[in-house]
Amino acid sequence: MTVPSSLHQRILADIGQKIVSGEWPPGHRIPFEHELTEQYGCSRMTVNKALTQLAKAGLIERRKRSGSFVARPRSQAAVLEIHDIRTEVEALGLPYRYSLSSLTQRLAETPEDATAGFSDAVPLLDIACRHFAGDAPFCLEERLISLEAVPEAAVQSFADTAPGAWLISHVPWSTAEHTIRAVAADRATARMLDVPPNTACLVVERRTWSGGLPVTRVRLTYPGTSHAVVARFTPEG
Amino acid sequence: MTVPSSLHQRILADIGQKIVSGEWPPGHRIPFEHELTEQYGCSRMTVNKALTQLAKAGLIERRKRSGSFVARPRSQAAVLEIHDIRTEVEALGLPYRYSLSSLTQRLAETPEDATAGFSDAVPLLDIACRHFAGDAPFCLEERLISLEAVPEAAVQSFADTAPGAWLISHVPWSTAEHTIRAVAADRATARMLDVPPNTACLVVERRTWSGGLPVTRVRLTYPGTSHAVVARFTPEG
DNA sequence: CTCACCAATATGTATATACATAATGAAAAG
DNA sequence: CTTTTCATTATGTATATACATATTGGTGAG
């Protein structure tokens, strides 16, 4: 969190904060430029600079004559193209099925929890579930959700909705860190994914923050060469 | 390549082009704002907008009283944090060694060449080499370089300098696409990496373009769990 | 000769203004 | 009742101007 040194940066940070915190949900109309002009006691060029930047970052969407609106979160896919798993499976023309394996509520305490970014004694949701493409397991998901950051998650059963999909529509924006590596499937993982032990698997670990607070850590294990992560970027953005 | 609809976008594209093409090498001084103002017959605010954007994209560096300069390319690491391999190895406190395995010049013709983005009959440099950490192979590199995009590469021996390091200092900026997957090492790969066959390996494939032209396709194979790719991003950028 | 100070300079930010453009909603014409 | 037209409105781009800020290079006091 850098201290905004200039006015347009402060406006940008203020509005960004409201969006990230969920105070202004997706679809919410941002005040018009002339309203912000009045609110901050500055010229239109200054608020325009802030809003233009927010639009380029994908946080807001601007429409002439209508105003500016909080953008629907496009998941982290926009930057690191990891799609929502349902979308991904359906893009392959296969029927998608989701299945919850376990869900427990506990306090952060293990060294792994600390590595994941959760401070000691933070209440956590510990979830294991699977995503299927047709009859075959497509991906194993092991997820921790901080109930400090997302208290509403405590009352969700996640029996029918995958936690990823639910979070995407409840945490509009965040900082994200991806770690991707290859591992040989251990006995338990192999059984869950229905592949021989020692099969090469792609493990994608994603940690996300919202407003400086860690929100969730998810480990996605994809069997064999069935999956690739693609990231594309251009200087212009 | 989108057609610049506004003046500041055209200025941005013009300068970006000069940098990407290498016409303005790293360290080269961009014309002062007042010079560009004159050249384009516009106000300083307009050129300032273009230069500010170029600076945020990391293409140029701005210094008060001195002017603006073409930035030293920081590799793609800035966005997808894949470091230069030498740096990566040395960060582990291990001695780095590079070794060229094969280098041939040929024309693009195989379906794989086409998949990599190289049109038929484009002259290519086909390179295989290895990066060592201490005595152990750290990573296997298989690279194609388009001699159409980088003709200077034809006279390089790459006996002592890894093609990646050489390219980074000769192609300042580009669009890049990363594909990351897990594979089991085949017999040949296993031998090159000095690991048992079927070891899970992380394969990072990177394709880069410069001014719309494909420049290089590199496949980096890391053995076992020795390596992870980390990508981090924040909305602000 | 050294150091403190100052003027010149290029970028950084902000203002007031102007006209262009796209989309909305309502009034007018068929 | 439908379609066309038009004024309204919010954003998009650009200008001329102003002052702030950081840095370079030189100048003068000690």
Side-chain angles (χ1 to χ4, degrees):
Chain A
M1 291 285 165
T2 51
V3 160
S5 52
S6 59
L7 184 51
H8 70 262
Q9 269 179 37
R10 213 195 103 204
I11 299 174
L12 188 147
D14 283 359
I15 296 176
Q17 170 58 28
K18 289 222 171 70
I19 297 173
V20 166
S21 71
E23 189 176 333
W24 288 352
H28 180 269
R29 213 205 73 229
I30 306 281
F32 294 127
E33 291 190 352
H34 70 261
E35 294 178 292
L36 291 168
T37 279
E38 205 172 319
Q39 183 177 327
Y40 284 95
C42 67
S43 77
R44 188 168 81 90
M45 281 302 290
T46 306
V47 311
N48 183 287
K49 195 165 185 173
L51 294 183
T52 300
Q53 274 190 243
L54 283 167
K56 260 203 303 199
L59 271 172
I60 69 171
E61 198 179 305
R62 314 201 71 188
R63 282 198 288 277
K64 292 184 180 183
R65 179 59 217 262
S66 309
S68 303
F69 300 84
V70 177
R72 210 152 303 284
R74 301 157 302 150
S75 86
Q76 290 85 354
V79 177
L80 224 206
E81 299 228 36
I82 297 175
H83 302 86
D84 176 56
I85 298 172
R86 161 170 238 125
T87 317
E88 206 174 339
V89 169
E90 286 172 348
L92 296 170
L94 292 168
Y96 172 80
R97 186 164 62 84
Y98 160 76
S99 154
L100 179 66
S101 300
S102 70
L103 184 156
T104 59
Q105 196 167 326
R106 59 178 180 85
L107 300 185
E109 53 169 0
T110 71
E112 203 195 326
D113 295 339
T115 313
F118 300 113
S119 325
D120 231 43
V122 165
L124 293 179
L125 221 51
D126 190 333
I127 301 172
C129 56
R130 283 184 292 175
H131 305 265
F132 290 79
D135 288 332
F138 180 74
C139 153
L140 171 64
E141 169 172 347
E142 298 160 280
R143 185 184 289 271
L144 299 176
I145 301 174
S146 161
L147 293 175
E148 184 183 39
V150 199
E152 317 92 280
V155 298
Q156 271 283 324
S157 79
F158 296 117
D160 303 308
T161 316
W166 184 85
L167 278 171
I168 280 176
S169 59
H170 283 74
V171 184
W173 191 262
S174 48
T175 300
E177 186 190 81
H178 294 81
T179 306
I180 305 165
R181 53 186 207 280
V183 301
D186 60 28
R187 200 172 232 82
T189 306
R191 201 178 51 242
M192 291 286 275
L193 290 174
D194 196 19
V195 293
N198 290 320
T199 300
C201 291
L202 189 70
V203 175
V204 177
E205 217 170 277
R206 177 161 61 225
R207 296 194 291 159
T208 63
W209 292 259
S210 192
L213 217 63
V215 172
T216 186
R217 190 277 285 145
V218 58
R219 187 180 1 241
L220 301 169
T221 307
Y222 296 86
T225 52
S226 75
H227 188 78
V229 173
V230 179
R232 189 182 235 274
F233 83 93
T234 342
E236 305 126 38
Chain B
M1 291 288 161
T2 51
V3 159
S5 51
S6 60
L7 183 51
H8 70 263
Q9 270 178 35
R10 212 194 103 206
I11 299 175
L12 186 146
D14 283 359
I15 296 176
Q17 169 58 28
K18 289 222 170 70
I19 296 173
V20 167
S21 71
E23 188 178 333
W24 289 353
H28 180 269
R29 214 205 71 229
I30 306 282
F32 294 126
E33 292 191 352
H34 70 260
E35 293 178 293
L36 291 168
T37 280
E38 204 172 319
Q39 184 178 327
Y40 285 95
C42 67
S43 78
R44 187 167 82 89
M45 281 303 290
T46 305
V47 311
N48 184 287
K49 195 167 186 172
L51 293 183
T52 301
Q53 273 190 245
L54 282 166
K56 260 204 304 199
L59 270 172
I60 69 171
E61 198 179 306
R62 314 201 71 190
R63 283 198 288 276
K64 293 185 179 181
R65 178 59 217 259
S66 310
S68 303
F69 301 84
V70 176
R72 211 151 302 284
R74 302 156 305 149
S75 86
Q76 291 85 352
V79 176
L80 224 205
E81 299 228 35
I82 297 175
H83 302 86
D84 176 56
I85 298 173
R86 162 171 237 125
T87 317
E88 206 173 341
V89 169
E90 286 173 348
L92 295 171
L94 293 167
Y96 173 80
R97 186 164 62 85
Y98 160 76
S99 153
L100 179 66
S101 301
S102 70
L103 183 155
T104 59
Q105 196 167 327
R106 61 180 180 83
L107 300 184
E109 52 169 3
T110 71
E112 202 195 326
D113 295 339
T115 312
F118 301 113
S119 325
D120 233 41
V122 166
L124 294 180
L125 220 52
D126 190 334
I127 300 172
C129 57
R130 283 185 292 175
H131 305 265
F132 290 79
D135 289 331
F138 180 74
C139 153
L140 171 64
E141 169 172 347
E142 297 159 281
R143 184 184 290 271
L144 299 175
I145 300 174
S146 161
L147 292 175
E148 183 183 38
V150 199
E152 317 92 279
V155 299
Q156 271 282 325
S157 79
F158 296 116
D160 302 309
T161 315
W166 184 84
L167 278 170
I168 279 177
S169 60
H170 282 74
V171 182
W173 193 262
S174 49
T175 299
E177 185 189 82
H178 294 82
T179 306
I180 305 164
R181 54 186 206 280
V183 301
D186 60 27
R187 199 171 234 84
T189 307
R191 201 177 51 244
M192 290 287 274
L193 290 174
D194 197 18
V195 293
N198 289 321
T199 300
C201 290
L202 188 71
V203 175
V204 176
E205 217 170 278
R206 176 162 59 225
R207 297 194 291 160
T208 63
W209 291 261
S210 192
L213 217 63
V215 174
T216 186
R217 190 276 286 146
V218 59
R219 190 182 355 246
L220 301 169
T221 306
Y222 297 86
T225 52
S226 76
H227 188 77
V229 173
V230 179
R232 191 182 233 274
F233 83 93
T234 343
E236 304 125 39

